[in-house]
Amino acid sequence: MIKVQNIIKAPIEKVWELWTLPEHIMNWNIPFADWHTPYAENDLKVGGKFKFTMASKDGSEGFDFEGVYTKIEEFSLIEYQLLDNRIASVRFENLDTEAKLTETFEPEATISKDMQEQFCRAVIQNFKKYVENFKS
């Protein structure tokens, strides 16, 4: 399993909202400056589906990240299964004025584990910046 975490200077409710709403996902779900998420759908409930299209801005590469939610505990835990049957989770921990976000997932077999961890770490760092700079 790969595990990536970060401490975000924001209340847990804000972290949860910005993590789960498609209009926000499209703003932070990017690993590199030359990538973007042009499409996001998210039906946040057990059995609900999600799909995020991630692509390079020049259109040379991209993929859909999609799966089905298997467990939801508001402000605490999101578990899901990807279309290739790998499992993953995102844990949210309330630290008073901060939140700890921990993403854990089974690595994809055809891509190096280090590359997947770096990719995830970059997305989580981007999320942290987005949340901490977000003006509601």
Side-chain angles (χ1 to χ4, degrees):
M1 295 292 268
I2 294 173
K3 184 178 186 177
V4 176
Q5 58 187 17
N6 213 326
I7 304 287
I8 301 162
K9 293 177 181 145
I12 195 83
E13 296 83 3
K14 181 178 182 182
V15 171
W16 180 270
E17 178 183 350
L18 300 183
W19 183 267
T20 60
L21 294 177
E23 61 267 29
H24 295 294
I25 294 166
M26 292 171 64
N27 289 311
W28 58 258
N29 191 39
I30 50 175
F32 316 110
D34 59 345
W35 276 62
H36 65 151
T37 298
Y39 178 80
E41 67 180 65
N42 195 24
D43 185 13
L44 188 65
K45 65 181 181 191
V46 173
K49 296 179 182 181
F50 65 88
K51 179 179 179 179
F52 314 143
T53 299
M54 299 176 77
S56 60
K57 290 180 181 176
D58 68 7
S60 63
E61 55 186 320
F63 62 93
D64 288 331
F65 182 72
E66 56 188 315
V68 176
Y69 292 112
T70 57
K71 187 174 185 178
I72 307 287
E73 295 175 5
E74 190 174 33
F75 307 129
S76 178
L77 178 68
I78 298 173
E79 292 181 352
Y80 57 92
Q81 183 172 11
L82 297 168
L83 291 186
D84 64 4
N85 293 320
R86 291 181 297 130
I87 58 168
S89 67
V90 182
R91 185 166 299 281
F92 302 78
E93 293 178 59
N94 188 357
L95 306 175
D96 294 322
T97 60
E98 299 177 325
K100 182 177 181 182
L101 180 87
T102 305
E103 185 165 10
T104 306
F105 63 96
E106 286 184 90
E108 212 258 53
T110 62
I111 301 170
S112 87
K113 193 173 177 180
D114 284 345
M115 183 181 225
Q116 291 177 73
E117 184 173 340
Q118 288 173 10
F119 189 94
C120 183
R121 190 171 306 286
V123 170
I124 298 295
Q125 185 62 30
N126 224 19
F127 177 70
K128 173 184 171 69
K129 286 183 206 168
Y130 180 75
V131 173
E132 291 179 355
N133 293 306
F134 183 77
K135 307 285 187 247
S136 50

